[in-house]
Amino acid sequence: KTSLANGSGDYYRKMMEQGEPLATEGLSHPHPLLEALPLRQQMKDGSLLEIPLKSKDRVIGVLLFDETAYIRQFTEEEIQTVVALSHPAAQSIETAIQYQEAVRHRERQEHLSSAILRTHEQERHELANALEHRTWEILEKAKKEIKGAREALPPLLPVECGARKHLDAASHLLEKAAE
C-alpha cells in the first residue's frame, strides 16, 4: 500500500505511525522532513519517495529517494522494489545497532571487572599491611616480655639454667620471625 501526498500534511509523522511508503510529487511545497536536511537548499522541485525502514514491526529510519530533474510519479513497481530492498537494509541496521550495544555492554563489563579487581587488590594490600604491622607489634611486645622475664630470674639458681635456655630459644625464634 502506497500513500500519495501532494505536498500538504505531516508526512513524516504519518509515515512513522503507519509505516507505509509515501510518494510526494512537487518538492516546492514545504516538507517537514526535508526542511531539517542540510541539502534541502540544493534540492530542486521534483518528486520524493520515502520508504520506512522497519525492523520487528517498528520503524527505525527512513530511506529517501528524490528525483530532482523533474516532477514525476513513482511507479508502483519502483516503490515495491525499493520496499523489498528496504527490509534487508533495516535488518542490517538493526544488527549493527545490536552489535554496538553488545560492544558497549562488554566494555562496561570489562571496566567494572577491572574496577572490582583493582578494589580487591587494594583491599588485599591494605589488609596485608595491617596484618604485617599488627604482627610486628605483637612480636615486639613478646620480645620485651621475654627480655623482662629473663632479667627477672635470679642469676645463679640451678633451675634458672633450663628456664634461661627456653627464654633464649624463644627470644631467638621471635627475632627470626620478626625478620
Side-chain angles (χ1 to χ4, degrees), residues 99-147:
Y99 176 77
Q100 288 175 342
E101 289 172 357
V103 167
R104 281 192 299 273
H105 180 72
R106 181 181 47 100
E107 288 171 351
R108 280 192 307 269
Q109 284 182 326
E110 288 174 359
H111 177 74
L112 290 173
S113 293
S114 294
I116 289 169
L117 288 174
R118 282 191 308 271
T119 302
H120 283 177
E121 182 62 24
Q122 183 179 1
E123 288 175 351
R124 186 197 62 75
H125 183 70
E126 289 172 1
L127 181 61
N129 283 342
L131 183 59
E132 180 181 351
H133 180 73
R134 183 67 182 133
T135 302
W136 182 83
E137 287 176 342
I138 292 170
L139 289 175
E140 286 297 313
K141 184 179 178 184
K143 280 175 31 180
K144 286 178 185 176
E145 288 176 2
I146 289 173
K147 184 178 178 184

Side-chain angles (χ1 to χ4, degrees), residues 45-128:
D45 287 346
S47 299
L48 178 70
L49 177 60
E50 303 165 80
I51 306 294
L53 293 172
K54 290 194 253 180
S55 178
K56 300 177 185 169
D57 295 328
R58 67 183 180 94
V59 178
I60 62 168
V62 179
L63 282 175
L64 298 175
F65 294 90
D66 67 290
E67 175 61 71
T68 57
Y70 56 92
I71 297 173
R72 74 177 189 90
Q73 185 175 7
F74 290 97
T75 67
E76 192 64 35
E77 183 180 340
E78 290 172 321
I79 294 170
Q80 293 307 317
T81 300
V82 174
V83 167
L85 294 174
S86 72
H87 297 299
Q91 290 172 347
S92 294
I93 291 169
E94 185 73 23
T95 300
I97 290 169
Q98 290 172 349
Y99 176 77
Q100 288 175 342
E101 289 172 357
V103 167
R104 281 192 299 273
H105 180 72
R106 181 181 47 100
E107 288 171 351
R108 280 192 307 269
Q109 284 182 326
E110 288 174 359
H111 177 74
L112 290 173
S113 293
S114 294
I116 289 169
L117 288 174
R118 282 191 308 271
T119 302
H120 283 177
E121 182 62 24
Q122 183 179 1
E123 288 175 351
R124 186 197 62 75
H125 183 70
E126 289 172 1
L127 181 61

